[in-house]
Amino acid sequence: MTARVLLLLAASALLFGCGSDTPPSDSAEATADAAAAATADTAPPADLPDGITLVETFDGAGEDIAIPYAKYRLANGLTVVLHEDHSDPLVHVDVTYHVGSAREEAGRSGFAHFFEHMMFQGSENVADEEHFRVVSNAGGTLNGTTNSDRTNYFQTVPANQLEKVLWLEADRMGFLLPAVTQEKFEVQRETVKNERAQRVDNRPYGRVWETLGKHLYAEGHPYSWPVIGWIEDLNRADLVDLKRFFLRWYGPNNAVLTIGGDIDPRETLALVDKYFGPIERGPEVEDMTPQPAALDADRYVTLEDNIYLPALAMMVPTVHRGHPDEPALDAAAKILGQGQASLLYQRLVQTGRAVQASVSHPCSELACAMQFIVVQNPQAGESLAEMEAAVRETLEEFAAREISEDDLQKFKAGYESGRVFGLESVSGKVSTLAFFETFDGTPRGISDEIGQYLAVSREDVRRVFDQYIAGEPAVLLSVVPNGQTQLAAAEPNHVVPERTIPERSDAEELALRPVEDNFDRSQQPVPGVNPSVELPTVWEAELANGVSVLGVANSETPTVTIQAVFDVGGRDEPAGKAGLASLMGSLMGEATRQKSAAEFTEALERIGASVFVSPGMYETRVSVSTLSKNLDEAVALMRERLLEPAFEEADFDRVRTQVLEGLQQQRKSPGPLAERAASVVLYGEENPISFPGAGLPRTVEEITREDVLAFYEANMPARFIGVLVSADVSQERVMQVLAPLGELAVEARERDALGELPAIEGRTVYLVDKPEAAQSSLRLVQRALPFDAFGDFHRAQLGNFPLGGNFNSRINLNLREDKGYTYGARSGFSGGPEVGSFRVSTEVNRDATAASITEILGELERYDEAGMDAEEFDFLQNAIGQRDARTYETPRAKLGLLVNVLRYDLPTDYRAQQKQILRSAEPSDLNGVVQELLDPTNLGIVVVGDAETIGPELEALQMPIVRLDEDGARIAP
C-alpha cells in the first residue's frame, strides 16, 4: 500500500468529489497533491476560543493507513478530536464516555447499558423522544452502544445540521437529570428487560458468553457479569442509582467528542465551546488496571439451553487490550481457526465431524481470552468429549508445526484489507479516532497498532502460543439441550458462589453541577441551507455478450467491489426442492476444479480479498471485494469460483448435512418460525416464494448432488444479466478486467406465473407453539403491491413512514416507549417483481402478547381512518428528503443504488425522480394510497410463543385461532 491512502482518508473530494465524472488517477502527482491537501486540511485555526487548547495534530504524512486529525481540550476536561473529510456533505459526531459495565457497582449490573437507554429519554431542553425525532427530521441517523469498557452516542447528519447535533449532545451531558422521571425510568427498565429476553434469553446459545464470563472471572471482577446485566439487578435499580451514575461518570472530563466530515474547524470549535464549554467537569476518572483472568485448573461447566445442536465453548485467558503480545495472539487464532484453511476447520468441519468450528481472540480493556467454539454434528456420532479431544489435538498440531511466512502473509493481508474497508465511511474514521483516544490517550493509536500487527514475526507467534495457550487451563462450557446433561464433555467441577450484594452506600452523594450560560439553551438551533447533494454518477457499458455493466466511482478508499448478477434464485427451484439455490451457492464456495476449498481460501487470504456466492429469491450474485492493487488476482479467483465449481460428492454430503442440522437448530429461534408462518399465510404452503432461502428440512432431504449439478448447468452462467461495480479505478480498467465474462453465452429467463394465492379474509390468529419462550414473535400481514419505483408502491412506502417506518413511528412509540412491551416494532410495505406485502413485526413480552396485538390493531385502524397529520407529513418529507447525503456515502451503499436499476430496468437517475415525487407530494396523496392498500379488517396475525401460557389471552381476542407446525403446516384441531 502507498501513501495514496492519505488522499482516501482525508481530502479525496478536493480532487474527485462524489458524482464527479473524472476517474481517479493512479499518478504520483495525484498522490503528492493528496498528501498536501491532507496536510492543509488538518491545520488548526490560528485563533482558538478562550479555554480551548490545541493538544496535537497529525497530517498522516509517512503512514500507509492514516486518519489526519487535530486534538483539542476544553478547560472542563472535554477532549475534542476533529477530522476533515469533504468527500460528502455530511458530518459524524461521536461522544464516547469512558464508562461501561466494568465500572458498575456490585449488585447493579447492566446499569451502564440501562443508562444508555435513559440518555435518549429527553433532557431539560429536549422533550421525551425528541432526540430521535430531531435527528431523523434532519435526514440523519443515530444510535448508542455500550460494552464493558465504554458507552458511545453517535449521529450522522447532513453538514448543515452539525450545530443541532452538538446542542442535543451537550444538553444531555449537562442537563439530563431535570428531565428524568419515575415513569420514564420504569418504561426503559421494561424495554431493557425485553431487549435481554430477545437477545439473550429467547435466543439459542444466548447465555453462552455470560456463563463463560462468570466462570472465567472471580466474583467482583468487572467482566464477571454481562453488559446487559442480570434481571435481579435491573429490578433492584432505582432513580438514586441513575442520578449517582450520571454525576459520577458523565462529566466532560470523562468524554471524548469526535467530529468528522465536511466541517470548518474554526466554526466547529466555536460551537463546541458554546455548547460544551459551560458544563462543569465531573469527578476525576482514573484508568482501570488490567486484570487478565488466571486459572489454576480446567473448569468444566454445563449449560442447558433450548437448542438442537450441542456445542462446546472453550476460553483460555491471555493478556489485555493494547498488550504487546495481542497481535501475535490474534495471528495464532487466525491460523488455528479462522477460515476454511485453518487447522480446526480442517480437522472438524471439512471432515464433517462438526457443523462449525472457529477460534477468535477478542480483547477488552482489562482482559482478553482465546475462544474456541465447536458446534457438534449429531450425524457424525461423536460426543462433546470427542470434540474437546479434537480441540486439544489441534493445539498439539499447532505446537508441532512450523509457523510459515505464508501464514503471516495471509494474516497481515487480512488485517490490512480489514482496516481499509473499515474506513470507507466518515463514521468508520470517526469511531476509530474516538476508540484510540479513549483507550490509548491519542487518536494516532491506529498507527501504532498497524505497526505492531505488520511487525509480527513467526517467532512471536510461537512464543505467545507457548506462553499463553499450550497446556494452559481453560473454562470448558458444554451447551446441551434442556434435560440432556449427559451429553456434556465432562462432569461439572466448578460452581460460582452466591453473589455478595453489598448494601448501597449513600456516603458518596454527588452534588448537582449547575451550568451558567450566556445564551438561551432552550432554543433549538436553526440549521443553515441544506447542502446540495448530487447522486453518484453512474456509468454504463456492455460486455461483448451484451450483458450490462453499471458502475460508480469510489475515490474514498483504494478498493473495488464487483457483483456479477444472475437471474436465478429460490423462485426457480423445482417443486419439493426448496433450498436448492442456496445449497448450490454453498457448494460453489467449496472446492473448484483447480483448487481445494482450503487452497482457494489461502489464495484469497494472501491478497486480503473475499469472494461470495449469494443466492436470493430472484437473483444470485457472485461478488468480489479487494484492494485495488490486487484487482487482477481477485477477479481471476472470482471467475474460478463462478465457472469451475467442483461439486465434489464429499463436499455435497458434508454441506447438505450442515444445512439440515442448521435448519433443525433454526427451529429453536422464534424469528425464522414467524417468518415462515407469515409467508405461508401470504403465499401458500407450497408456493416457491413462501419458502425460506435455505429451504425446510423435508425439502433439503430430497435434494441430490445431481439436482445441484443440473440446476447449476441450467442457470450458471446462462442467466447472467449484469455486473455492478464500485471502484477507485477507471472505467477502462474495470472493463479490461471484466472482459473474459463477455465471452459467456447467455439467455433470457422466462418464468411461469405464480399460482393462485390464498385469501386473507377477516382476522385470524396463526399460532406456532414455542414452549417456554420468553417472548412472543408477532407478524401481522396482508398482501400488497409488487415493486414499482414511481407509482403507488413507492408512495405506500412513504406513507408508512409515520406508521411504522422509523423510531418515532406510532407503532414503535406505543409498544416500546409508552408500554415497554418490546425492544422495537416496525411496519412496512415490501415488494418484489411479482407480489408484495404489508407486515408489522415485533418481539414482545410474553405476558403482553394479546395486549400488543390489540395496540397494533388500534394503530392500524386509526391510521386507516385518518392517515398522517400535517406534522407527521412534514417530518417524513424532511427525514427522507435530507438523508441522501449519507445514503450513498460508502462504496457498498453506492452499489445499492445500482441494484434496482439493473433489476427493474430503471433510469440511472431514478432516485432523483423519487425525490421529486416526495417534494411534490401532498398528505392526501400518501394517505389515500395507504388507506386503499391497508385493510385492518383482513389480516393474518402470526404468533410464535408459549401456547400454554398465551393461549387463554389469545382466545379472549375472539378471533379464529389456527395452529401451525414448525413448517407452517396446519395442525388438525
Side-chain angles (χ1 to χ4, degrees), residues 305-327:
D305 199 359
N306 184 24
I307 60 170
Y308 175 74
L309 300 174
L312 178 73
M314 175 174 164
M315 290 182 74
V316 183
T318 57
V319 291
H320 59 86
R321 194 219 147 258
H323 189 283
D325 288 341
E326 181 188 354

Side-chain angles (χ1 to χ4, degrees), residues 548-572:
S548 174
V549 181
L550 302 174
V552 290
N554 157 35
S555 59
E556 305 244 358
T557 51
T559 58
V560 177
T561 297
I562 296 173
Q563 295 180 349
V565 184
F566 300 83
D567 188 16
V568 59
R571 169 69 170 87
D572 308 299

Side-chain angles (χ1 to χ4, degrees), residues 283-298:
E284 295 306 311
V285 177
E286 296 182 358
D287 288 341
M288 300 181 73
T289 302
Q291 304 175 50
L295 302 175
D296 53 11
D298 287 332

Side-chain angles (χ1 to χ4, degrees), residues 335-401:
I335 298 166
L336 277 166
Q338 294 175 19
Q340 290 173 295
S342 65
L343 302 181
L344 194 63
Y345 186 97
Q346 286 293 306
R347 182 179 296 274
L348 289 177
V349 181
Q350 191 67 33
T351 58
R353 299 171 65 188
V355 298
Q356 180 182 333
S358 62
V359 183
S360 60
H361 183 242
C363 270
S364 297
E365 185 177 17
L366 307 183
C368 312
M370 193 163 288
Q371 301 175 351
F372 300 76
I373 302 294
V374 178
V375 179
Q376 182 183 348
N377 180 4
Q379 298 297 318
E382 294 191 64
S383 66
L384 287 183
E386 289 170 307
M387 295 295 98
E388 178 195 345
V391 172
R392 297 191 185 279
E393 290 165 6
T394 304
L395 294 176
E396 293 171 2
E397 178 186 357
F398 187 96
R401 79 189 286 277

